[in-house]
Amino acid sequence: MPVDMGSKLLCLFLASVILAYYIYSPIPGDFEEPWKVMLISTTFRTFERLAEVAEYLGLKNYMDILILITNIEYVTPTSDENVTVTDTEFNNIAVRLYVPRKASDGLRRAVVYFHGGGWCVGDLGMKSYDHLARRTSDMLNAVVVSVNYRLAPKYHFPIQFEDVYSVTKFFLQSSVLSQYGVDPDRVCVAGDSAGGNLAAAVAQQLLEDPEVKTKLKIQALLYPPLQALDLNLPSYQENENKPILSKSLMVRFWSEYFTSDLSLREAMISNRHVPVESSHLFQFVNWSNLLPEEIKKDHVYVSPTYGSSKLVQKYPGFLDPRASPLLASDAQLQKLPLTYILTCQHDVLRDDGFMYARRLQTVGIPVTHDHAKDAFHAAMMFVSFPAELAVGHRLFNRYIEWLNENL
């Protein structure tokens, strides 16, 4: 056999092995449409590996490669027969407005929405977010404000929070609500993933702001990360390599939110980033007390291993309730509005949502906790071609149903 033919066959064999490594990654047996999920997971894993290689070679920052997904998905603001869509700014922060064309008997409802992406990637112009906001506006006959906050690693906490808070506070002014024909008693904040984190933090902060007179009616949190103290919860252990969001990627998102200093990421990976002087905060995220038995399973709670106080002195954000809403006191939580929380069984962030739901219920807040046993992180975003999943439609319909009944 000619040498060049042998080399080509070897290359083909290696390429096949690499492809098989991606395509045949384990997919839980209870997933609907497993081959579709596998292909979606493969696409995301490929971008992650490309990002790792590019960063290792010094070609590009890891997040710059992941942002390519955002760029590929971007769509311009386009109105249709049901909704008028425009890009504008509220308090110098970019927003995309969705205003229904259909007539309204009175003032409309409104949803202020924050996209996900680990505070590092994502954009309100992504096809999935445009689709979500457009359908929400049309189906609820509601004004939707989708917010484009600044991202890490260029901007770190609290910039992302301050951007979304600034937009929400601006929109809640009586004059602005009146301009868009919005009922001040029917406004909510919502978000998915990192956006759910921001929505929870905004809802808490509004209660402490004497300048804000309009109260939120509800909040909707879709598979949100809600604490950066314990990154080894049962859900982190069980779902370390599940589709879309691996444990290592979530840890990277958390650390990049606060700093690009590798020392914090390394400490978070080993779950040794909280100093002993902050040990009292673990009472708010003690999963042994907050998770139901069917979620705890055979996991055994282990007391925290504490880290150096130098990290929290340099990057105090990860102990700030604006970044970790689960750290809020019961006194703060009991003033929050009616709440919807979506969690997915095969998601590293599952237990954050469970713990927040439990803490809110304990202080008397009405909570609808929708747990999808056959879903993975971000499943609700997969509702349009080419990445369309039945589970995405099912979760979206339940979310819209709840908003319609409660907003």
Side-chain angles (χ1 to χ4, degrees):
M1 180 183 295
V3 175
D4 61 335
M5 179 60 73
S7 299
K8 289 177 181 177
L9 287 174
L10 178 60
C11 289
L12 179 61
F13 172 75
L14 291 174
S16 300
V17 170
I18 292 170
L19 183 63
Y21 169 75
Y22 284 117
I23 292 180
Y24 292 103
S25 56
I27 296 294
D30 56 354
F31 276 7
E32 200 174 356
E33 303 174 296
W35 278 98
K36 278 190 182 180
V37 176
M38 194 178 292
L39 289 171
I40 290 169
S41 178
T42 297
T43 301
F44 276 81
R45 289 185 67 193
T46 300
F47 271 97
E48 285 183 53
R49 298 299 173 266
L50 285 173
E52 289 171 359
V53 171
E55 186 170 64
Y56 177 77
L57 296 175
L59 301 175
K60 279 277 189 181
N61 177 277
Y62 182 90
M63 294 302 171
D64 288 340
I65 300 297
L66 294 192
I67 284 174
L68 290 175
I69 300 174
T70 300
N71 297 338
I72 292 169
E73 270 240 323
Y74 184 84
V75 293
T76 57
T78 306
S79 300
D80 57 31
E81 67 274 14
N82 299 314
V83 180
T84 300
V85 183
T86 54
D87 280 354
T88 185
E89 290 186 350
F90 282 176
N91 259 4
N92 299 314
I93 307 298
V95 301
R96 183 168 288 187
L97 286 175
Y98 298 80
V99 180
R101 290 183 184 271
K102 68 181 75 169
S104 178
D105 295 335
L107 295 175
R108 288 191 170 93
R109 301 178 276 192
V111 178
V112 183
Y113 194 88
F114 313 132
H115 69 76
W119 311 278
C120 298
V121 297
D123 191 283
L124 58 74
M126 291 175 69
K127 182 181 177 182
S128 51
Y129 289 118
D130 180 75
H131 183 81
L132 171 67
R134 186 183 300 270
R135 288 189 64 193
T136 302
S137 178
D138 182 38
M139 295 173 77
L140 299 182
N141 196 19
V143 174
V144 175
V145 181
S146 188
V147 186
N148 234 21
Y149 50 90
R150 287 171 287 179
L151 301 171
K154 186 175 181 181
Y155 301 99
H156 296 294
F157 175 84
I159 295 296
Q160 291 83 342
F161 169 79
E162 289 174 347
D163 283 356
V164 296
Y165 189 76
S166 175
V167 167
T168 308
K169 187 172 178 178
F170 177 87
F171 184 67
L172 289 177
Q173 295 176 101
S174 298
S175 58
V176 179
L177 294 174
S178 177
Q179 179 184 344
Y180 293 102
V182 171
D183 186 339
D185 294 325
R186 304 180 77 187
V187 181
C188 91
V189 289
D192 67 291
S193 195
N197 165 281
L198 293 168
V202 165
Q204 290 182 8
Q205 190 70 19
L206 286 171
L207 297 172
E208 311 299 323
D209 193 334
E211 296 179 358
V212 179
K213 306 304 179 187
T214 303
K215 304 295 182 185
L216 296 175
K217 185 173 185 184
I218 59 174
Q219 62 174 338
L221 317 176
L222 311 175
Y223 29 82
L226 296 167
Q227 57 85 33
L229 270 76
D230 189 350
L231 303 182
N232 199 38
L233 302 170
S235 57
Y236 273 89
Q237 297 177 44
E238 293 173 16
N239 303 308
E240 184 173 1
N241 293 301
K242 293 289 176 67
I244 309 303
L245 186 64
S246 63
K247 176 180 177 178
S248 60
L249 181 57
M250 189 60 227
V251 169
R252 176 140 195 177
F253 280 146
W254 267 124
S255 62
E256 289 279 9
Y257 189 24
F258 306 112
T259 176
S260 294
D261 182 347
L262 288 177
S263 63
L264 179 60
R265 194 197 320 167
E266 289 166 357
M268 283 183 158
I269 288 171
S270 61
N271 211 34
R272 298 181 177 186
H273 53 292
V274 180
V276 67
E277 54 265 34
S278 301
S279 60
H280 63 286
L281 296 175
F282 279 97
Q283 65 181 305
F284 299 126
V285 298
N286 186 330
W287 60 263
S288 66
N289 297 327
L290 296 170
L291 294 181
E293 292 301 323
E294 66 268 22
I295 294 297
K296 286 194 286 190
K297 297 179 182 175
D298 297 326
H299 292 279
V300 177
Y301 185 79
V302 178
S303 297
T305 302
Y306 299 108
S308 168
S309 58
K310 292 180 181 178
L311 282 175
V312 77
Q313 289 168 6
K314 291 171 71 176
Y315 314 113
F318 67 84
L319 299 184
D320 190 319
R322 294 175 300 167
S324 294
L326 260 166
L327 299 186
S329 68
D330 287 352
Q332 292 170 296
L333 296 184
Q334 66 186 6
K335 296 181 286 185
L336 287 169
L338 184 70
T339 300
Y340 175 85
I341 298 176
L342 170 63
T343 55
C344 300
Q345 179 67 21
H346 304 283
D347 181 6
V348 294
L349 300 178
R350 178 195 69 202
D351 295 350
D352 283 23
F354 264 92
M355 292 194 294
Y356 203 49
R358 174 70 179 276
R359 288 198 60 206
L360 291 177
Q361 290 164 343
T362 299
V363 296
I365 302 300
V367 177
T368 296
H369 179 193
D370 190 359
H371 181 58
K373 294 183 178 180
D374 61 345
F376 55 91
H377 187 76
M380 203 182 90
M381 295 298 107
F382 298 100
V383 292
S384 60
F385 182 82
E388 186 173 6
L389 295 173
V391 66
H393 285 287
R394 189 168 70 250
L395 296 182
F396 173 78
N397 290 337
R398 295 207 300 239
Y399 162 68
I400 289 294
E401 223 171 83
W402 187 86
L403 288 180
N404 192 40
E405 290 173 1
N406 294 283
L407 182 56

